[in-house]
Every structure is written in structure tokens, then in C-alpha cells.
Amino acid sequence: MRNRSIFVVIVLSLIAVTFSQPTELEPYTLETETQLVSPREIARNVDKVFPKLVFQDADLRAVLQFFAEMGDVNFVLDPSVSGKVNLRLQDVSWETGLTSVLNTFDLVITKEGNTYRVRKLSDYRKQINDARNYDKNQKDLLPLDTKIVSLSYADANSMVSIVQQAMSDRGEVIIDSRTNSLIIKDIAESFPKIDSLTAMLDTETPQILVSAKIISVDKTFIQELGVAWGASGSGIQPDEQTVSLNVTSPQPAGGGVIQWGIVSGDYNINAQISAMVTDNNAEIVDNPEIVTLDNQTATLRSGDQVPVSFMDEAGNIITDYYNAGVELTVRPHVTSENRIALAVDISKNEYTPGSAGQYIIKERQANTNCIVDNHGSLVIGGISTEGITLANSGVPVLKDLPILGRLFRYDSEDKSNKTLIIYVTPHIIVPESESADIY
């Protein structure tokens, strides 16, 4: 043959129809005992190239046997495989040529032992459906067993929809709320999957101790705390002790900006606070603590309730109470690396006396999400407070005389400008089986 080409011509008609090369046959992905295979998986000479490949009204079974011989594979053809092949291709590989024929006639190849069976795709799908129907009919004849699954930590109501995913169509589940158990009725082969699923999910929920230390710091000494307020970073740097989240919340004019920072590493914030308290540069206002479950919200509040009176439409005076102070809502979540993701909402309400014995309530709010190390601290600052301290000095005894005492004493007002700093520190509580309660 000229140019060492292989030219196959089976002439049964004067008309030759040329087909363009189609895309590779997409494998059918259903899992069965006889798995679909592609031409590339079965032939030794898969990359063998035909400079010219022509079939004219050729018998489909003869064409498939030709590819079997060229690829050194064994094909078993279903009786339903029949048709005429008209194909003209140039410079194509064995894989491309066979795939074109398979796609044209909706044929698939399945592996059966050391041979490969060629059949119609519709017949293959019918076999799968028949096998599934057979399995279903067999399962419908199996007896049902009953098992009680007792849950130690997971809520039985929330586990129902999850367990049902592992049950058969005949399975039933009933909740016993009194014992937090699931009563499951199903065929025997479903229970290993159910047991495995419940064992993975019925685990103890981590508990977190959230500690909030609220201190009042003179603004001139705030830098001594070692927090990089307003830094340009957006997360925790492993080699730094402190870094700011650079997250702020818009506030009313004159109210300042609530700032966020993170203290991690070996920096001993408690020692620094104690030193500032000793030097009268800071004061610990409150130190509330609360224990909550993983992914559950906890609320910490420090302050007073202020009575506010108002008149209703009928002219009655009604007194209501408003929370004044700091309210912190925290939802902690333990990550896979034993770090703690915090969703924090903070509000600061303060009051000033108004006219007619009323009070003016000022509210400030902000929120953020961050990740801190276990025992690390989220630092919240920028909450300014102002106070006035009245003092007098003068000649002892004489300065206390009525009316004339003013001549012997000096009255002064000392205005203080301080900032509230809140340290939110989460601690993961270890179960009793561990060596320590909190680590």
C-alpha cells in the first residue's frame, strides 16, 4: 500500500458518507458488577495511528472485529449490535477511530473477565435497572429488625434526618425524648451504617469559658498595654505578640471609634494590667465570666439599670428600666486546630441627667468576627468615658464653717478622660477524662 498506509475498503455501495471525528465517549458512571471501560483502558496499541481509515457500507460487527485485531483485544458482541458503517478518517489513532464508531451507534464496552463486551447503551442501562429492581425486591422480602440507639450528647430530634440518610426505604425511626434515644426499625444490613454514623456524630460538644476583663485606663497610659491599635494587618501573625484587626465601627460625631486588637503569643497581659493598677493608671471595673457550649451564644453584662419615667396616652406615669453599661455577646467556635473563632457584638450604653429629672441614654454598638488562640485575647478599645471629681482644700476647721467657710477653702474640679478596655479571653474546657480542666 502506498505511503505505508492502511486502506480498508468494503464496497457495498457507490455512495460514501464521511463523518467528522466526534468527541471521546463519556463514560457511564453507575457502579455495577460489569464496569464501563473506555478504549484507552483496554488496548495495548491505543496510540496506533491510521494515516487513512475508510469504511463504506461496512458491517458494524466486522468493523468492531477489525478494531479488536488491531488493538490486540478480545471483543464479545451482543446479538443486538448491528448496522452499516460509513466512515472516512485521516491520521487518527486506534482510540479515536473506535470511539467514533461507538458514539455513532450508541455502544459501550464493559469488562467481563479477560474479555470486553460490546453492547448498546440502552441494553446496558436496562441491565442496571433490572439489577436494582431485583435487589429492591429481595430487600422487600427481608425481615425488619428493631434497635434502640441511645445518644449521649447529640439531640435525638436533630439526628433523625441524618440517620434517615443511612436507612432503607422500609426503615422507620421513632424519637424517645425522655431517654434521648432513637428507636429504629430496618433491615439488618442498614444498621452498620447507622451505627457508624451515630458514633461519629454523637460526641461531646466542647465547652468554652469566656472571660471578659473590663478596665478603665487613663488615655495618656493606654499605649502601655502593648496593643497595636489601628495596625494595617488583617489577621494573626505567628511571630508577633500583638496585632490589630483594623476593624472599626462608625460612631456618632464626638463618640470616638471602637477599635479591635488581638493579644496572643507569650505576652502576659495580666501582669501589665496589674502594674498599671498598682501605679493608679488603670482600674479594674469588672471581670465577669461565663461557660457556654461550642457555637452557642453567651452574654456578659456589666453596669446599672437606669429608671426612666414617661407618660402614656392616658396621662399615667410609667417607669421603665434601661441597661446602662457594657453588654457583650459572644459566640465561640472551636476550630479543628484548637483555635477559637469569635463572633462578638458589643454595646455601650451610658446616661446623663436631662431636664425634669429624666436621663439621656447614649448607645454605641459594634461587632466583629475573628480567630484567637486558646487563652488568647480579643481586645476592644475606643470606648471613652468622662468624669468630674470635686475636691476642696483650705484651713482645717475654718473651711467647714457655714457661710464663712468659703473664705477659708478652695473648691476645684478635676476632669478625667478615660477609656474602657475590654479583654475577651476564651479558654477551652477539657473533659473530666483529660489531665486538666482548662487548657
Side-chain angles (χ1 to χ4, degrees):
M1 287 178 284
R2 183 176 300 175
N3 297 329
R4 300 174 62 185
S5 65
I6 299 176
F7 186 73
V8 180
V9 181
I10 303 177
V11 180
L12 298 177
S13 172
L14 296 177
I15 301 176
V17 181
T18 304
F19 292 91
S20 61
Q21 179 181 342
T23 58
E24 183 176 348
L25 181 66
E26 294 184 359
Y28 198 68
T29 57
L30 286 176
E31 295 183 358
T32 61
E33 294 181 359
T34 55
Q35 293 294 317
L36 288 177
V37 292
S38 66
R40 174 164 288 274
E41 299 177 71
I42 63 177
R44 301 175 182 175
N45 302 323
V46 65
D47 294 323
K48 178 181 179 66
V49 176
F50 299 102
K52 184 178 293 186
L53 190 61
V54 178
F55 296 101
Q56 294 178 343
D57 269 350
D59 181 70
L60 175 59
R61 302 177 71 86
V63 171
L64 292 173
Q65 291 298 346
F66 164 76
F67 279 105
E69 293 179 6
M70 292 295 102
D72 195 19
V73 294
N74 296 321
F75 278 170
V76 176
L77 308 180
D78 264 15
S80 60
V81 175
S82 62
K84 299 296 182 179
V85 180
N86 291 282
L87 184 121
R88 182 183 296 272
L89 298 173
Q90 291 184 347
D91 295 327
V92 295
S93 65
W94 179 91
E95 176 190 8
T96 301
L98 177 57
T99 301
S100 300
V101 174
L102 295 175
N103 280 335
T104 302
F105 292 91
D106 283 335
L107 302 176
V108 293
I109 302 175
T110 57
K111 184 177 181 180
E112 299 180 359
N114 294 326
T115 63
Y116 298 94
R117 181 177 175 184
V118 181
R119 67 176 91 175
K120 287 184 174 294
L121 178 60
S122 57
D123 293 340
Y124 176 70
R125 289 175 173 171
K126 184 177 181 301
Q127 178 192 0
I128 295 173
N129 291 331
D130 291 344
R132 288 179 173 176
N133 291 333
Y134 176 80
D135 290 340
K136 184 178 182 302
N137 293 335
Q138 289 296 107
K139 290 180 179 179
D140 289 342
L141 300 176
L142 295 175
L144 296 178
D145 296 337
T146 301
K147 183 176 183 178
I148 298 177
V149 179
S150 299
L151 302 174
S152 300
Y153 304 104
D155 179 64
N157 291 278
S158 62
M159 286 290 291
V160 170
S161 59
I162 299 174
V163 169
Q164 286 175 336
Q165 303 299 317
M167 297 170 59
S168 70
D169 294 339
R170 299 173 61 199
E172 297 179 359
V173 57
I174 301 174
I175 302 172
D176 182 15
S177 301
R178 184 180 63 85
T179 60
N180 194 41
S181 301
L182 300 176
I183 304 173
I184 302 174
K185 181 183 290 186
D186 206 346
I187 57 177
E189 68 179 46
S190 296
F191 286 108
K193 294 184 290 184
I194 295 173
D195 293 340
S196 176
L197 193 60
T198 53
M200 288 189 296
L201 298 179
D202 186 29
T203 56
E204 184 174 0
T205 303
Q207 296 185 91
I208 300 101
L209 170 67
V210 180
S211 173
K213 181 169 290 187
I214 305 173
I215 64 173
S216 177
V217 183
D218 193 304
K219 280 192 172 182
T220 57
F221 297 96
I222 194 172
Q223 296 301 326
E224 294 184 14
L225 292 173
V227 180
W229 302 107
S232 59
S234 60
I236 300 177
Q237 305 298 326
D239 297 329
E240 297 183 8
Q241 292 180 343
T242 62
V243 64
S244 171
L245 290 177
N246 198 27
V247 178
T248 59
S249 177
Q251 303 297 330
V257 175
I258 292 181
Q259 297 174 306
W260 314 86
I262 286 181
V263 174
S264 59
D266 298 327
Y267 184 71
N268 193 340
I269 189 63
N270 290 322
Q272 186 63 35
I273 292 175
S274 298
M276 295 181 65
V277 171
T278 302
D279 295 338
N280 294 322
N281 296 326
E283 175 188 1
I284 298 178
V285 178
D286 205 351
N287 187 19
E289 295 180 338
I290 192 170
V291 176
T292 184
L293 291 175
D294 183 43
N295 253 342
Q296 299 297 315
T297 300
T299 301
L300 300 167
R301 184 181 295 113
S302 176
D304 304 317
Q305 284 195 326
V306 182
V308 178
S309 300
F310 59 92
M311 188 175 296
D312 62 9
E313 295 180 355
N316 301 316
I317 297 178
I318 299 176
T319 301
D320 201 356
Y321 289 85
Y322 288 86
N323 293 321
V326 177
E327 181 174 311
L328 194 66
T329 301
V330 182
R331 189 178 74 251
H333 171 60
V334 180
T335 68
S336 58
E337 299 176 348
N338 270 339
R339 301 179 72 192
I340 302 172
L342 294 177
V344 179
D345 291 286
I346 181 173
S347 62
K348 172 67 168 67
N349 301 333
E350 56 186 18
Y351 62 94
T352 55
S355 59
Q358 299 295 311
Y359 293 95
I360 299 174
I361 307 295
K362 296 181 179 180
E363 295 183 354
R364 302 176 64 196
Q365 294 181 339
N367 59 78
T368 189
N369 294 275
C370 64
I371 297 178
V372 299
D373 294 329
N374 188 26
H375 303 300
S377 295
L378 170 66
V379 188
I380 306 170
I383 306 175
S384 301
T385 59
E386 294 183 356
I388 298 177
T389 302
L390 299 178
N392 62 73
S393 60
V395 180
V397 181
L398 295 180
K399 68 182 179 66
D400 298 323
L401 293 175
I403 303 176
L404 295 178
R406 295 181 179 179
L407 300 175
F408 300 96
R409 71 171 180 264
Y410 170 73
D411 296 327
S412 63
E413 293 184 355
D414 183 17
K415 293 185 177 181
S416 60
N417 193 354
K418 295 187 177 182
T419 296
L420 284 181
I421 304 294
I422 305 173
Y423 290 86
V424 182
T425 306
H427 309 271
I428 300 174
I429 300 177
V430 177
E432 294 181 358
S433 59
E434 302 291 340
S435 58
D437 291 334
I438 300 177
Y439 75 96

